[in-house]
Amino acid sequence: MTRIIEQYTAKEIMSSERLQHLAKEEMLQRVKVLYKVKEILSFPRDGYINISNVAEFYEVEESKVSSLLGIAEELEGELNLLVSKMDMLNVGFLLNESVVAQELRNQVVNIRDAV
């Protein structure tokens, strides 16, 4: 999906209320995603989180997370099925359809490049 600010010039965006609205919505979504990425990067190294929260975080179905982690179908839906921060990061690297996962990958690359 091409972003509004990549499709139009600043002058075109400023001259159209519709484009202004779309650009604002796009930026708000990006800020929301960045806050989520910050949240996972500041998650305690030895902390654990349940599968449903991982799915909610990445905005995907719980079954997708379970599948990526190799969790048997009969264990899906267990409320106390916990995964580590590393498992949660691994899911982010494997998910293709999650905007949050994509931004997580971008931020990790940026951090690596800064070191």
Side-chain angles (χ1 to χ4, degrees):
M1 180 171 93
T2 307
R3 295 173 32 193
I4 295 294
I5 60 173
E6 293 170 349
Q7 285 183 315
Y8 300 95
T9 65
K11 187 175 182 178
E12 290 172 317
I13 293 171
M14 295 309 293
S15 65
S16 165
E17 278 188 42
R18 181 179 163 274
L19 290 178
Q20 285 179 29
H21 175 74
L22 291 172
K24 183 190 289 187
E25 289 298 316
E26 196 172 86
M27 293 304 292
L28 289 172
Q29 177 63 22
R30 178 148 171 82
V31 168
K32 177 184 151 203
V33 167
L34 286 171
Y35 273 113
K36 282 186 150 189
V37 169
K38 179 182 175 189
E39 183 182 325
I40 191 173
L41 293 175
S42 63
F43 192 72
R45 179 171 285 198
D46 58 351
Y48 290 88
I49 187 168
N50 68 39
I51 298 279
S52 61
N53 287 349
V54 174
E56 182 181 329
F57 178 84
Y58 286 118
E59 300 171 358
V60 297
E61 295 295 319
E62 199 172 315
S63 59
K64 182 69 175 175
V65 173
S66 296
S67 171
L68 289 172
L69 292 173
I71 296 170
E73 282 184 34
E74 54 272 7
L75 293 177
E76 281 184 31
E78 289 286 328
L79 292 177
N80 18 348
L81 191 57
L82 301 177
V83 296
S84 68
K85 177 181 181 177
M86 188 54 72
D87 290 333
M88 189 169 179
L89 288 169
N90 285 339
V91 167
F93 280 98
L94 295 171
L95 280 172
N96 295 324
E97 64 275 1
S98 169
V99 175
V100 177
Q102 180 181 7
E103 186 59 37
L104 173 69
R105 291 189 297 273
N106 291 339
Q107 292 302 318
V108 169
V109 168
N110 291 342
I111 291 167
R112 188 205 62 195
D113 290 347
V115 174

